[in-house]
Amino acid sequence: MSGPIHPARLRRAGAAACAALLFVALAQGTAAGTDPPAPTTPPSSPTAPSSPSASGDTGLGGLDPRITAIMRKPEYRNAQWGLLQTDPDTGRVVHSLFPEQFFIPGSTAKLLSVSGPWQTLGGGHRFVTPVYAVGERDGATLTGDLDLVAQGDLTMGGRTRPDGTVAYTDLDHTYANDFPGATLTPENPLAGIDRLARQVRDAGITRVDGDVIVDSRLFLPDPELVPTPTPLIINDNLIDLMTTPGDRAGAAAELDWRPKVAPYRVTSAVKTVAAGKPTAVTVTATDGGTRIRLTGTIAADAEPLLRTSPIGDPAAFGRVALIEALERAGVHVTADPSGPNPVARLPRDYDGRPRVAAYTSPPYAQYAKLILKVSHNLGANLGICLLAVTADSNQCPAGFPVLADFLDRAGVDREQAQLMDGRGGNPADRATPQVLVQMLTYWQHGPDARTFREALPVMGVDGLLAENCRSCPARGKVFAKTGAAVGGDALNDRLAVGAITIAGYLDKGGGRFDTFYAGVNGASTPGADPTEVLSIANDLALIAAYLQESSSAP
């Protein structure tokens, strides 16, 4: 390394690494290869105890030697490993290493935070977002307002396929700014809004002498939850920006963006450079996020590059989107679309007000699958706010006691978890291997065992494990949630890998699915290159594959 790295650069690198490690490709056949050579020097750190401890650790005895070789690598000499594998049918512990010790969970915390809403709301729960006519009808004219009452629908139809399932890509657009390769689903992000507008027209309204208002009183956005959920969410509260290289070096790059809603305006000064040259696109937003500009370069041989920009005021955005959709449907609204969202006009309630439209979402189980497959952070945090609503509160933190009650009923020792959000990204978040395995065991004993298991990324098949182990024996036999916490180490010009974790199910054949957790806390990279994190994530994915492949005596 030529010189010290600026802390800001380390922070940016850490963010990129955090996304990258979630999408790591194992080399074809690595999990089926020969055992790596044993380490030449026995480890002296507590990461490899040789005898059981008071906390129930069985040490590394009996583990596949390929796993112990990974854990004993010199680069983990200051790190702490955790491991737990159980047979949920019998309760037998197959492997155990510090099962009751707190570890940084990363996104494996979503196993807890998604299970709570799934079971509290119900996997079949559907969000019904209504539009009420508040005023007087005279034939086709409404003198008054149309009020859209937001219900916390995660996608508002923007990902719904014709068969009612929710679409996702293996690397979601919510990670586009951190990792190349993120792609869009083909569905129209304004689908739900368009459907509401058509229903208003079908209800016989063609003119609104008044306003359109988004009622977001369901819950108050909590800035402690990052990303911050809002009662109305359209396109994950993001503007998608797709840059495609021009037909030759020096030509302006092509730009497309969605959803196109005023007053958002997007311009681009990105230029095409020669094939093989660097692609670097910067997004700048001003005027509350409504003026977006792209600058930089894209190589002539590059694939289209996706970036995103946040929607600053989701309620105001939704108001304009609905006004524009109404106009497309043949309903004229006299209010200025560019005006504010006039919440002072909202009624106390909607008793006796005619409902003129309603959008019904897919079942919550479909949203849970989206959250788990792509590690959807906004959706995980939204679950906490939705739990608060079930307790008749509009304060998102009120969702945590509801989650606690669910965990108690599920037989999950919640004192072995510490959560300040739903995504597993707060610095205070902690979880033991045992609490996550308890959560997985709970599902395995219920009627939705298969549905929950298949909602997790499947190794070598889909989600954030789609590119892992595509040609090894464990392909299609590991169902697991990954997690990560990565930051900068300015003192040593490297990345501090707080955690790389993975937890889920191992298909052992004959209808047996072992529950497992594997994680390492306190690792670090040799330098500040985010790709160096990949070797650590690769090790965790290999451990999961080796656990699945290894036989274990009953």
Side-chain angles (χ1 to χ4, degrees):
M1 192 168 300
S2 60
I5 296 176
H6 193 278
R9 180 181 168 190
L10 280 171
R11 286 194 293 271
R12 290 193 297 271
C18 189
L21 61 87
L22 295 172
F23 196 72
V24 183
L26 293 177
Q28 290 190 353
T30 49
T34 58
D35 293 348
T40 55
T41 304
S44 59
S45 77
T47 61
S50 57
S51 60
S53 72
S55 62
D57 303 304
T58 60
L60 300 184
L63 271 177
D64 187 310
R66 296 173 296 181
I67 296 177
T68 59
I70 290 173
M71 291 182 171
R72 288 169 169 159
K73 284 182 177 181
E75 51 262 48
Y76 297 123
R77 64 184 180 277
N78 301 123
Q80 176 65 62
W81 284 94
L83 182 70
L84 185 59
Q85 179 185 349
T86 71
D87 180 343
D89 294 332
T90 65
R92 183 176 67 93
V93 175
V94 181
H95 296 296
S96 175
L97 187 65
F98 300 112
E100 297 181 5
Q101 180 169 310
F102 272 133
F103 286 83
I104 298 170
S107 285
T108 55
K110 292 183 174 75
L111 294 171
L112 302 174
S113 63
V114 172
S115 295
W118 190 328
Q119 293 289 27
T120 302
L121 297 173
H125 175 79
R126 296 175 186 267
F127 300 89
V128 180
T129 302
V131 175
Y132 290 96
V134 180
E136 299 295 329
R137 282 280 299 270
D138 182 6
T141 298
L142 170 66
T143 302
D145 302 328
L146 290 175
D147 293 357
L148 183 158
V149 186
Q151 297 295 309
D153 187 329
L154 178 58
T155 70
M156 277 299 293
R159 293 179 185 253
T160 305
R161 300 185 181 104
D163 64 358
T165 60
V166 172
Y168 60 88
T169 60
D170 292 329
L171 187 58
D172 193 63
H173 76 143
T174 54
Y175 286 100
N177 290 352
D178 294 324
F179 191 62
T183 53
L184 297 173
T185 60
E187 288 73 25
N188 174 13
L190 297 176
I193 296 294
D194 286 341
R195 183 172 298 183
L196 288 172
R198 291 193 296 269
Q199 290 180 19
V200 170
R201 177 64 181 83
D202 291 344
I205 298 174
T206 60
R207 181 180 176 86
V208 178
D209 284 335
D211 217 319
V212 170
I213 311 173
V214 171
D215 185 340
S216 291
R217 293 178 290 186
L218 184 70
F219 60 80
L220 298 174
D222 186 345
E224 293 299 316
L225 299 175
V226 181
T228 303
T230 51
L232 181 67
I233 297 171
I234 297 174
N235 201 45
D236 299 315
N237 292 340
L238 296 172
I239 302 294
D240 294 318
L241 310 160
M242 186 69 77
T243 299
T244 303
D247 57 3
R248 66 187 186 285
E254 298 177 7
L255 170 69
D256 194 14
W257 60 283
R258 70 175 203 182
K260 293 183 173 68
V261 172
Y264 280 72
R265 297 290 183 269
V266 181
T267 58
S268 175
V270 177
K271 296 293 184 184
T272 306
V273 294
K277 293 291 185 179
T279 292
V281 175
T282 299
V283 178
T284 304
T286 57
D287 292 346
T290 62
R291 296 295 181 268
I292 302 169
R293 183 166 177 80
L294 286 75
T295 56
T297 59
I298 185 168
D301 58 345
E303 294 294 321
L305 180 70
L306 178 64
R307 291 286 185 263
T308 63
S309 187
I311 293 171
D313 187 339
F317 183 88
R319 172 186 174 271
V320 179
L322 182 52
I323 290 175
E324 293 180 346
L326 287 165
E327 294 288 348
R328 291 193 297 270
V331 181
H332 177 65
V333 180
T334 59
D336 181 3
S338 64
N341 187 42
V343 294
R345 295 167 62 104
L346 291 172
R348 177 176 297 180
D349 57 51
Y350 294 94
D351 291 345
R353 315 282 187 180
R355 192 175 81 171
V356 294
Y359 177 75
T360 301
S361 78
Y364 181 78
Q366 281 291 313
Y367 285 171
K369 184 176 183 179
L370 166 68
I371 296 167
L372 294 170
K373 288 289 187 185
V374 308
S375 206
H376 197 286
N377 292 322
L378 180 62
N381 281 343
L382 175 64
I384 301 299
C385 300
L386 295 175
L387 289 177
V389 172
T390 69
D392 297 322
S393 174
N394 67 349
Q395 305 286 330
C396 291
F400 287 105
V402 181
L403 178 59
D405 288 345
F406 158 70
L407 295 175
D408 290 344
R409 294 193 306 274
V412 175
D413 184 3
R414 60 181 167 89
E415 291 189 359
Q416 294 194 48
Q418 299 174 172
L419 291 180
M420 282 295 293
D421 63 8
R423 62 173 286 196
N426 189 285
D429 292 346
R430 296 291 187 275
T432 68
Q434 184 164 285
V435 76
L436 296 177
V437 165
Q438 287 176 348
M439 188 76 264
L440 292 161
T441 301
Y442 163 83
W443 280 101
Q444 197 65 1
H445 289 157
D448 293 330
R450 179 176 178 178
T451 302
F452 181 79
R453 183 173 66 247
E454 293 180 355
L456 298 171
V458 182
M459 185 169 284
V461 177
D462 65 15
L464 288 175
L465 288 173
E467 296 301 318
N468 293 75
C469 205
R470 293 180 69 90
S471 300
C472 72
R475 182 180 188 272
K477 299 178 182 178
V478 176
F479 305 77
K481 185 74 197 73
T482 57
V486 181
D489 176 8
L491 178 66
N492 297 292
D493 294 344
R494 62 185 181 182
L495 295 175
V497 184
I500 306 293
T501 55
I502 186 169
Y505 301 100
L506 307 167
D507 185 350
K508 304 298 284 187
R512 172 183 158 191
F513 291 89
D514 281 8
T515 53
F516 84 98
Y517 165 96
V520 62
N521 278 192
S524 57
T525 60
D529 184 352
T531 61
E532 293 172 350
V533 182
L534 300 183
S535 64
I536 301 174
N538 190 62
D539 282 345
L540 266 296
L542 280 169
I543 288 173
Y546 294 154
L547 287 173
Q548 188 282 322
E549 293 174 26
S550 301
S551 61
S552 52

